[in-house]
Amino acid sequence: MKKDYRVILRMVCVLVLLGAVAVVLIRKGVISRFWEQTDETVQTIDISEEERLEQEKKKAELEQQRLAMEREKQEEQRRLEEERLQEEKRLEEERLAELAKQEQTPEERLAEYLKEDPRTPVEAKGIYITGPVAGTANTMPDLTDFLQQTELNAMVIDVKNDSGEVTYKMGLPLAQEIDAERNYVGDMQALVQELKEKDIYLIARIVAFKDPILAENKPEFAVKNADGTVFHDNSGLAWVNPYKQEVWDYLIELGKQAAALGFDEIQFDYIRFSTAKGIAEADFGTEAERMTKQDAICGFLGSAYEQLAPLGVYVSADVFGTIIPNKTDGELIGQDYVEMAKRCDYICPMVYPSHYAVNAYGLEVPDAAPHELIEAAIADGEKLLAEAADENEVHIAKQRPWLQAFTATWVDGHISYRGKELRAQIDGCADAGVGEWLLWNAANNYSNYKDGLLDN
């Protein structure tokens, strides 16, 4: 046992001695440090030149893709920035334009709009139609067929008539308040759409200052007697005061509603002062002290034109034909032919031969000379408008006269009017240089005039 112990001890000593020698040799670098890997001991992977070049190519392609994406990103940022700047510029230009527009006078605004007028004119040849007739299912188809069988292409339909009635349920608050709305036309929008589909030019007739419903229900808007009561004309009807801004607003709003339905034109009739007995003593308020009658009428028409024309509709005004040669008549009723023509697209003189006095234009009985009377009256108007346009270089309306489609039995020496007499008037217009016109028949009975309306 003791012998074995000595053997083991000697072996341990030998091992320790060998370990010590190994440590010394390792420290001196004689023996490599087996736990460390040197360049000489790393076994490199040998790759071919072709593979190396392929790897470099792929790296280059990836770099190019990265650079391309970066350029696209930068380009997109530049584009967005340019769009932002352009939008800011556009908004600023619009703001400045709106400010400039607010500083313009109504006439300046109209002139700017008319420079690039987007509306499409139509040479209208039309007939007048009342609200009740327009709403009658068995009458309108016949009138529509009548247009399509002749050279006619337009209808003038009452939106507000001589009695102050609005001919359909418009929904306008003031019209509802004074109970002016009627249901003569059950669905005006549908009627307008149907007629437009047949290429019929539609004119909304709005009677302006002859409005007994508004005058009686809103006496503050009415023409007054000296004692403050509401003035009534020879027929017992009240008129509204053409000086009142509230009346202007009501009429213009009626026009806007008609425009929204699709009417092509808004036409104002009775755009004048009453000529009834006692009107000279009537009270028109303080406004009359600083404005003439013609100022009031032109003021209203100008305001209506400014607001309605940009809606895409034309604006027209009915006037007495006698004001063309007679300025006194114009001053009496507040109509100035040239000044009104500056404030609308079409001026429509009522040149009915029956309405002219004996010896007018040298004609003993004007009603019996339809061609001569119409040619003379229209030529007179054309001359006035042409002179105004040349002298002032301003916008001037076109003439579109109302022609007589009725027989004036009350006139001494009158003749019966039928197709022949109507054609004589149409030819008179053409000879004076005017190719469009409207026909007036209060009963809307035009069948007796068909042979004068066939295309020649």
Side-chain angles (χ1 to χ4, degrees):
M1 181 67 179
K2 186 180 291 187
K3 182 180 181 179
D4 292 337
Y5 174 76
R6 291 193 192 95
V7 172
I8 293 170
L9 182 60
R10 281 197 297 271
M11 289 177 66
V12 170
C13 290
V14 170
L15 290 173
V16 170
L17 180 61
L18 290 174
V21 172
V23 169
V24 171
L25 293 175
I26 288 171
R27 285 183 177 179
K28 291 184 177 183
V30 176
I31 298 177
S32 299
R33 299 180 181 183
F34 60 85
W35 61 88
E36 292 184 354
Q37 190 177 39
T38 63
D39 291 340
E40 290 76 7
T41 61
V42 175
Q43 185 176 4
T44 59
I45 300 174
D46 184 20
I47 62 173
S48 67
E49 181 66 16
E50 183 179 345
E51 290 176 336
R52 184 183 66 77
L53 292 174
E54 184 64 26
Q55 289 179 356
E56 290 181 355
K57 180 180 178 182
K58 289 182 179 179
K59 288 181 181 179
E61 288 176 351
L62 290 173
E63 181 64 14
Q64 288 177 354
Q65 291 176 3
R66 186 188 68 77
L67 293 174
M69 292 177 63
E70 185 66 24
R71 284 195 297 271
E72 288 179 3
K73 183 178 179 181
Q74 292 174 354
E75 184 63 28
E76 178 67 11
Q77 290 176 341
R78 282 195 296 270
R79 185 184 65 78
L80 292 174
E81 181 64 13
E82 287 178 2
E83 288 181 354
R84 184 186 67 80
L85 293 174
Q86 289 176 358
E87 179 66 11
E88 288 181 354
K89 181 180 179 181
R90 184 186 66 80
L91 292 174
E92 180 64 12
E93 288 175 348
E94 287 183 356
R95 186 185 69 82
L96 293 174
E98 184 62 27
L99 288 175
K101 188 175 181 180
Q102 291 174 3
E103 294 175 357
Q104 289 177 319
T105 65
E107 292 78 9
E108 289 172 337
R109 282 193 289 268
L110 273 175
E112 184 175 333
Y113 176 79
L114 294 174
K115 283 180 183 178
E116 299 180 2
D117 194 342
R119 301 168 301 175
T120 302
V122 172
E123 192 174 71
K125 301 174 181 180
I127 56 176
Y128 162 65
I129 297 177
T130 66
V133 169
T136 304
N138 62 352
T139 303
M140 279 301 284
D142 292 340
L143 288 171
T144 302
D145 290 341
F146 185 75
L147 260 69
Q148 295 177 331
Q149 295 165 10
T150 64
E151 62 181 297
L152 296 168
N153 65 350
M155 289 181 173
V156 181
I157 300 176
D158 272 341
V159 166
K160 183 166 84 73
N161 63 23
D162 306 28
S163 300
E165 297 172 324
V166 177
T167 58
Y168 66 99
K169 296 292 185 178
M170 181 181 288
L172 191 63
L174 181 54
Q176 292 177 323
E177 180 184 346
I178 63 177
D179 194 27
E181 292 186 344
R182 302 293 182 266
N183 199 36
Y184 292 136
V185 182
D187 191 339
M188 183 66 88
Q189 186 171 18
L191 176 62
V192 168
Q193 182 176 348
E194 177 185 344
L195 296 175
K196 294 296 293 179
E197 289 174 354
K198 298 180 184 296
D199 292 327
I200 295 175
Y201 184 79
L202 296 181
I203 303 172
R205 177 177 179 257
I206 297 175
V207 173
F209 302 115
K210 184 181 180 182
D211 190 337
I213 294 180
L214 180 59
E216 298 289 6
N217 285 277
K218 293 285 186 179
E220 63 270 28
F221 301 158
V223 177
K224 303 288 185 59
N225 293 306
D227 62 2
T229 58
V230 174
F231 174 86
H232 294 84
D233 64 15
N234 304 342
S235 301
L237 300 176
W239 287 55
V240 290
N241 189 342
Y243 288 103
K244 292 292 185 180
Q245 180 67 48
E246 295 88 347
V247 175
W248 294 12
D249 295 341
Y250 177 53
L251 295 171
I252 293 169
E253 189 57 38
L254 288 166
K256 290 179 179 179
Q257 294 291 328
L261 279 186
F263 278 92
D264 300 293
E265 180 175 324
I266 309 301
Q267 182 185 89
F268 293 103
D269 198 0
Y270 283 88
I271 182 171
R272 63 179 178 85
F273 284 74
S274 172
T275 56
K277 181 180 178 180
I279 195 68
E281 290 78 37
D283 180 10
F284 291 95
T286 58
E287 294 93 341
E289 298 174 3
R290 57 182 177 82
M291 295 174 65
T292 67
K293 290 181 178 180
Q294 291 173 322
D295 288 338
I297 297 302
C298 286
F300 161 70
L301 186 57
S303 181
Y305 193 29
E306 174 197 347
Q307 296 181 56
L308 294 174
L311 299 180
V313 293
Y314 287 99
V315 178
S316 57
D318 296 340
V319 299
F320 279 171
T322 57
I323 71 167
I324 298 174
N326 192 328
K327 290 188 175 181
T328 301
D329 282 359
E331 292 172 356
L332 180 65
I333 62 176
Q335 291 183 344
D336 183 312
Y337 202 67
V338 170
E339 290 303 315
M340 291 178 71
K342 295 177 183 178
R343 294 165 172 83
C344 60
D345 297 297
Y346 297 97
I347 191 159
C348 305
M350 295 174 282
V351 287
Y352 313 131
S354 61
H355 283 34
Y356 284 80
V358 173
N359 294 323
Y361 292 107
L363 302 171
E364 184 177 353
V365 182
D367 184 70
H371 181 281
E372 292 82 357
L373 186 283
I374 295 297
E375 182 180 5
I378 297 304
D380 212 358
E382 287 291 285
K383 180 182 177 182
L384 274 180
L385 299 182
E387 289 174 351
D390 290 341
E391 291 175 3
N392 302 298
E393 296 183 353
V394 295
H395 162 81
I396 294 292
K398 294 180 179 179
Q399 283 195 116
R400 189 203 291 138
W402 280 99
L403 304 182
Q404 181 171 322
F406 57 87
T407 297
T409 56
W410 60 90
V411 174
D412 291 338
H414 74 274
I415 62 174
S416 179
Y417 272 61
R418 293 291 187 271
K420 177 184 176 181
E421 290 70 28
L422 177 57
R423 176 49 62 179
Q425 295 177 81
I426 293 172
D427 290 344
C429 286
D431 291 342
V434 173
E436 51 188 314
W437 31 263
L438 304 170
L439 308 184
W440 180 267
N441 182 288
N444 300 172
N445 185 1
Y446 300 98
S447 58
N448 292 330
Y449 304 93
K450 185 174 182 178
D451 61 341
L453 293 168
L454 300 176
D455 290 321
N456 294 330

